[in-house]
Amino acid sequence: MDSLLIVRGRVVDPASGVDQEMDVLLREGRVAAVAAPGKLRGQAQRSFNAKGCIVAPGFIDLHVHLREPGQAHKETIATGTAAAAAGGFTSVCAMPNTVPVNDSAEITRWMQAPERGALVNVFPVVAATVGSLGEKLTDFATLKKAGAVGVTDDGRPILSDRLMHDALHAAGKLNIPVVQHAEDTHMTADCSMNLGATSFRLGLHGMPNAAEANIVERDIALAGATRGHVHVAHLSTREALEAVHRGKKAGVRMTAEVTPHHFTLVDENVGDFNTHYKMNPPLRSLADRAALIEGIADGTIDAIATDHAPHAFHEKQVEFERAAFGITGLETAVAIALTVLHRHFNLPLWRMVELLSANPARIFGLARRGSLAPGSHADVTIFDPKKKWTFDASQSKSKSRNTPYDGWSFTGKIVATIVDGKVIYEG
Ligand code: DOR
Ligand code: ZN
């Protein structure tokens, strides 16, 4: 019988309301028991000493670009999930803007096949429209059967009112969310960063906050009318945050995620055309960042998601306007959350854990995940909130190196990542 006992750690499991020193017994891929220290002694073949560490439900990243099929020069499912494991994520939700776009049951199943060599659980989020072209909805029921946990045209917004209405209606009946990349592209053509003093100084076209907020406002109305669930991807502006707050208050089924870069960095960090600070949505103003941190603390924001977007060296080493949008993020997200949110802004650990486990599991309906309650999948993230370390991008497990965090020092480090009862990463 395959078993592992995690001893002497502080279990922080918001889903079960637990925050105290406990031992956790994993057996045959499930959480078998959580009990007072010493009580489970002798019940497992092996033990893991988690003294001084937090033992949390396995972290779930709702927003990852794994690039397979079609762009293995940037990342593969094997390398992307290895980076996820190193970053403390036991599950990742894979976006469909692959080549070809994942709009079929075949690709959805192919991504989940054992031959891909995934180190953590991979949950595909499939295209909402055929080819993500924004013309015709995909077959949500068939795709859900193949393993899809949500639908999205991420990388692009679902702009048509009619299509978004129908997508929310159809997905709502299946109990899966429509994930919206909220960008009114009529307002952002030719833009490569946020509209503000820095875009003005650099002479670049800037994206206004309204381009995000307008789509979020529209989606709230449509979700309300259809009883569908809209999940706002990588929310970045104060105005969109306020809209989500109002929508939730009005009882609309909606959730929202924020990335580590949007609560850590601002548009000024673009400096002199540094493409490692180019992503979409772009880094915003100090006021937007402050609003996001408030939204994270007060519950308006439901999840932290990386938007891990690997790109090859040559795709970033060009003029700012021509460079690809996106940065990698799987290996630094938890350390950034601990350093910036917990240490600097006093966000309680349980709230941070909730944003990375219980809430993401609820948003995508991942059964028996995001919790350490007995019977849950044996996915566990163990981290040391006090350990100091420095990120060296050259040692990254990702195939790509497009990160602004090379050389950054953090307080808080992943100690072990456990998937299905097996230690797949030890830091
Ligand atoms: O920065 C981004 N990168 N934003 C997106 O919406 C897409 C992503 C990518 O696929 O590279
Ligand atoms: Zn996106």
Side-chain angles (χ1 to χ4, degrees):
M1 222 169 14
D2 188 28
S3 56
L4 177 69
L5 185 62
I6 303 165
V7 297
R8 296 199 190 96
R10 171 178 155 202
V11 173
V12 176
D13 179 11
S16 317
V18 175
D19 182 352
Q20 64 188 100
E21 197 179 321
M22 299 275 239
D23 292 350
V24 179
L25 177 63
L26 308 178
R27 190 192 289 140
E28 293 186 321
R30 298 281 171 160
V31 177
V34 181
K39 280 256 188 315
L40 299 166
R41 193 173 300 142
Q43 295 205 29
Q45 296 154 318
R46 288 161 297 128
S47 75
F48 187 98
N49 187 353
K51 191 168 166 27
C53 294
I54 305 296
V55 178
F59 291 160
I60 300 165
D61 190 345
L62 294 179
H63 196 134
V64 169
H65 297 273
L66 291 178
R67 304 302 190 203
E68 267 193 311
Q71 294 180 306
H73 69 285
K74 297 177 195 266
E75 195 80 287
T76 65
I77 291 171
T79 59
T81 55
F89 290 100
T90 58
S91 295
V92 295
C93 301
M95 290 295 134
N97 62 339
T98 48
V99 184
V101 166
N102 179 16
D103 58 6
S104 71
E106 288 71 26
I107 297 176
T108 303
R109 279 193 290 264
W110 181 90
M111 288 176 67
Q112 299 168 93
E115 296 77 39
R116 300 292 85 73
L119 213 52
V120 309
N121 307 298
V122 174
F123 296 106
V125 184
V126 296
T129 69
V130 175
S132 280
L133 294 172
E135 285 161 10
K136 184 176 176 290
L137 292 185
T138 53
D139 180 352
F140 296 178
T142 302
L143 291 164
K144 186 185 174 188
K145 270 195 208 106
V149 295
V151 298
T152 187
D153 280 348
D154 187 63
R156 299 174 179 190
I158 302 167
L159 279 189
S160 150
D161 299 346
R162 178 62 190 269
L163 269 177
M164 187 60 180
H165 173 278
D166 293 355
L168 283 163
H169 182 71
K173 283 201 293 195
L174 294 166
N175 236 336
I176 54 173
V178 179
V179 179
Q180 179 68 290
H181 169 120
E183 176 187 357
D184 185 345
T185 47
H186 299 116
M187 300 177 81
T188 59
D190 302 324
C191 294
S192 49
M193 69 173 298
N194 182 49
L195 178 65
T198 303
S199 69
F200 183 74
R201 174 173 64 82
L202 297 176
L204 296 171
H205 293 287
M207 306 187 196
N209 284 18
E212 179 175 84
N214 289 357
I215 297 292
V216 173
E217 296 274 13
R218 186 223 36 193
D219 289 350
I220 291 169
L222 293 176
T226 56
R227 314 289 303 143
H229 171 188
V230 62
H231 175 71
V232 184
H234 41 52
L235 186 142
S236 66
T237 62
R238 180 172 58 82
E239 290 84 347
L241 183 83
E242 285 168 358
V244 170
H245 189 78
R246 283 195 301 275
K248 284 185 166 186
K249 245 182 153 172
V252 174
R253 284 174 73 192
M254 67 180 320
T255 48
E257 73 192 28
V258 164
T259 70
H261 45 277
H262 288 114
F263 66 68
T264 304
L265 306 170
V266 291
D267 57 358
E268 212 184 316
N269 295 124
V270 168
D272 287 319
F273 306 101
N274 188 334
T275 61
H276 283 166
Y277 296 82
K278 179 178 178 180
M279 67 289 285
N280 190 12
L283 298 172
R284 302 286 187 180
S285 68
L286 273 167
D288 290 307
R289 191 185 69 164
L292 296 186
I293 290 167
E294 225 169 273
I296 287 168
D298 73 17
T300 307
I301 295 300
D302 299 278
I304 295 170
T306 63
D307 196 6
H308 177 81
H311 293 292
F313 188 74
H314 69 271
E315 294 161 322
K316 281 292 199 180
Q317 207 60 19
V318 292
E319 298 92 315
F320 195 86
E321 288 166 284
R322 289 179 51 225
F325 285 101
I327 60 171
T328 58
L330 284 164
E331 289 162 294
T332 45
V334 175
I336 292 171
L338 282 166
T339 307
V340 176
L341 297 179
H342 176 56
R343 212 142 271 282
H344 193 77
F345 288 102
N346 293 317
L347 188 79
L349 272 181
W350 67 264
R351 173 72 185 138
M352 197 203 88
V353 169
E354 180 177 55
L355 288 155
L356 288 160
S357 58
N359 286 358
R362 173 173 52 81
I363 291 167
F364 277 154
L366 308 179
R368 296 187 182 276
R369 297 194 195 275
S371 166
L372 291 175
S376 305
H377 289 279
D379 294 348
V380 185
T381 300
I382 302 175
F383 61 93
D384 180 344
K386 298 204 177 107
K387 177 103 182 151
K388 292 191 194 313
W389 67 292
T390 300
F391 179 58
D392 176 358
S394 73
Q395 298 302 306
S396 173
K397 306 263 190 249
S398 169
K399 260 198 188 182
S400 293
R401 297 288 182 267
N402 52 312
T403 167
Y405 306 115
D406 190 23
W408 278 44
S409 291
F410 299 112
T411 305
K413 192 175 189 309
I414 298 300
V415 170
T417 307
I418 299 172
V419 174
D420 212 19
K422 291 171 199 65
V423 179
I424 55 156
Y425 173 82
E426 248 188 289

